[in-house]
Amino acid sequence: MDATAPSTHSYDVVIAGGAMAGATLALAIERLTQAKLSVAVIEAAIPDNTHPGYDARSIALSYGSCQLLDQIGVWHGVAPFATAINTIHVSDRGHFGFTEMHADKEGLPFLGNVIELADAGRVFHKSLSQAKNISLFCPAFVTDITRATDKVTLTLNDGQTLTTKLMVAADGALSSCCDMVGISRHEHDFEQVALIANITTSLPHQGKAFERFTESGPVALLPMSEGRSSLVWCVKPQDVPALIELSDKAFADKLQAIFGWRLGKLLHVGQRNSYPLILRQATQLISHRFAAVGNAAQTLHPIAGQGFNLGLRDVITLAEEIARAHNEQQDCGDMALLQRYLQRREPDRNATVAMTSGLVHGFSNTSAPLILGRNLGLAAMSVFSGLKAPLLQRAMGLVER
């Protein structure tokens, strides 16, 4: 359903941001309430390769995330574009420790799947446009938010006015909607920059993902379609200009020296992009008739690929609480609902943020005792599966919501 005529509209839920988090929330509400609640999605950019939420990057969806997307009827549209992760190999460059996780040993079809964000954008945008009770305002963005006791009034850039019982910010790491309602954010600069590119290798990846820790930061290669691998190479900020300016062959040679030969020779490097790695956390996930989800709630370091998977657990949990309120004929913007959402999400959020930040600092440290300790840990995990279990559970997204 398209919303185009300038006027005032009223909705049960309005979501600012129509990329992965916002789109998933809208579709989850539609599915869990049998389209009984009216939802508006406000999205500033039409999804294509230039959309900031659907750019050249790929994301790794954990096994648990794939299950959640299946539960809300979205996975069947995403699956044709997904490449399964069957094995995860974790190592520490220049040291003896490593461990592997295998889907077949866990009795699972896969540990996760990799999908290009551009493909996901098209699938989600189509699903939104075909939904029964979701109105899509695109391109549009929120310019003003006014909250009263029983409603929120939003003004869009084209002058349209929306009223809603619940406003949800899913508008990215620097959420303007959070700014408008006075929710600030904590920031921690990891002093690393992620270089991303698609890589072709001489040996087939066979569904194997690699996470390799180096002195400057982790290097990850994720399996993609057409035999490609998606590179995330975390480096020090001062090293970025020289790496970006290298020829494709020189860049591949440099990466080869860091990553090694587990996928054979690195044959081709696609377009390179970079972005700074900063942990951002909203100081509040909820406020009066307001909630933050996805990157608006927290933006993590890409180590262990937890960012979107954590955000997806936020989104599905909020949708469940909204559906519960609807089924019990309660106000879907009530603070009691938002408090339940917060209580369910805080333990997972805190644990995931602590794990990712701990991995970054622990594996970037060059202290000899710490190097020995982490390599003994990796070696022990490869022998004693019980030690691997907590990390594996979180990597697979099988955590309590």
Side-chain angles (χ1 to χ4, degrees):
M1 181 162 63
D2 250 349
T4 53
S7 58
T8 299
H9 308 269
S10 182
Y11 298 94
D12 293 303
V13 181
V14 171
I15 302 164
M20 290 281 283
T24 304
L25 176 60
L27 294 167
I29 294 170
E30 172 111 343
R31 179 67 170 246
L32 296 177
T33 65
Q34 289 78 51
K36 297 293 174 54
L37 290 179
S38 57
V39 178
V41 176
I42 304 163
E43 174 49 51
I46 297 170
D48 59 21
N49 289 338
T50 63
H51 187 294
Y54 295 118
D55 59 19
R57 285 176 289 178
S58 297
I59 54 168
L61 297 170
S62 68
Y63 176 79
S65 291
C66 297
Q67 285 189 312
L68 291 176
L69 291 176
D70 193 38
Q71 288 170 21
I72 63 167
V74 175
W75 178 244
H76 73 278
V78 175
F81 302 100
T83 302
I85 299 173
N86 302 316
T87 305
I88 300 174
H89 179 100
V90 183
S91 62
D92 193 7
R93 181 175 180 255
H95 304 287
F96 63 86
F98 79 93
T99 190
E100 285 192 345
M101 307 170 198
H102 300 270
D104 55 0
K105 290 183 179 178
E106 303 302 321
L108 297 172
F110 50 77
L111 297 174
N113 278 275
V114 178
I115 182 168
E116 292 181 67
L117 286 171
D119 291 328
R122 288 186 288 271
V123 171
F124 279 81
H125 199 72
K126 182 178 179 182
S127 297
L128 287 176
S129 65
Q130 293 177 342
K132 291 180 182 178
N133 211 4
I134 298 174
S135 297
L136 181 60
F137 292 79
C138 181
F141 58 90
V142 178
T143 57
D144 185 68
I145 301 173
T146 304
R147 292 184 289 178
T149 303
D150 61 344
K151 67 180 180 181
V152 182
T153 302
L154 312 172
T155 304
L156 304 188
N157 59 302
D158 60 2
Q160 293 189 88
T161 301
L162 313 184
T163 62
T164 183
K165 296 174 184 175
L166 177 63
M167 166 77 189
V168 182
D171 54 339
L174 300 174
S175 168
S176 61
C177 290
C178 284
D179 292 340
M180 287 180 211
V181 300
I183 294 178
S184 58
R185 61 187 70 88
H186 295 305
E187 294 191 357
H188 171 70
D189 191 341
F190 289 110
E191 297 180 355
Q192 293 179 356
V193 173
L195 290 173
I196 59 172
N198 295 333
I199 307 288
T200 302
T201 58
S202 64
L203 296 179
H205 55 63
Q206 296 181 312
K208 196 168 188 176
F210 295 88
E211 183 103 50
R212 186 159 174 77
F213 297 101
T214 77
E215 296 81 359
S216 64
V219 177
L221 278 173
L222 305 175
M224 291 177 66
S225 62
E226 300 171 3
R228 298 169 299 159
S229 292
S230 173
L231 169 70
V232 181
W233 184 3
C234 302
V235 300
K236 295 175 181 175
Q238 60 267 29
D239 296 336
V240 173
L243 287 169
I244 290 289
E245 291 169 10
L246 287 175
S247 68
D248 287 352
K249 183 183 184 306
F251 182 86
D253 290 344
K254 193 91 171 175
L255 177 60
Q256 188 94 62
I258 296 290
F259 176 74
W261 294 82
R262 288 186 175 90
L263 287 174
K265 187 172 177 57
L266 307 183
L267 300 177
H268 178 72
V269 177
Q271 181 179 338
R272 285 164 262 165
N273 291 292
S274 65
Y275 59 98
L277 298 177
I278 300 171
L279 169 65
R280 293 187 173 96
Q281 291 178 273
T283 54
Q284 300 168 243
L285 291 184
I286 62 170
S287 182
H288 175 64
R289 296 194 176 275
F290 187 94
V293 298
N295 284 343
Q298 65 274 315
T299 308
L300 307 186
H301 192 286
I303 195 170
Q306 291 295 304
F308 175 71
N309 295 294
L310 175 62
L312 182 61
R313 297 196 291 273
D314 289 346
V315 160
I316 300 299
T317 303
L318 181 56
E320 288 172 350
E321 292 299 338
I322 291 170
R324 172 182 168 183
H326 168 71
N327 293 336
E328 296 175 357
Q329 298 183 318
Q330 296 175 352
D331 183 343
C332 69
D334 187 71
M335 183 54 77
L337 175 160
L338 295 174
Q339 287 287 359
R340 290 197 301 269
Y341 163 66
L342 181 65
Q343 288 167 6
R344 289 179 64 184
R345 294 307 306 139
E346 276 202 314
D348 179 22
R349 183 192 194 217
N350 292 341
T352 304
V353 169
M355 182 198 78
T356 55
S357 297
L359 284 172
V360 174
H361 294 299
F363 277 92
S364 296
N365 196 305
T366 55
S367 160
L370 192 55
I371 290 171
L372 178 62
R374 73 196 185 208
N375 277 272
L376 286 172
L378 286 173
M381 286 170 63
S382 68
V383 176
F384 304 108
S385 59
L387 296 174
K388 193 187 299 179
L391 179 61
L392 182 59
Q393 290 290 105
R394 193 157 292 281
M396 291 172 57
L398 299 177
V399 294
E400 188 176 347
R401 288 190 294 110

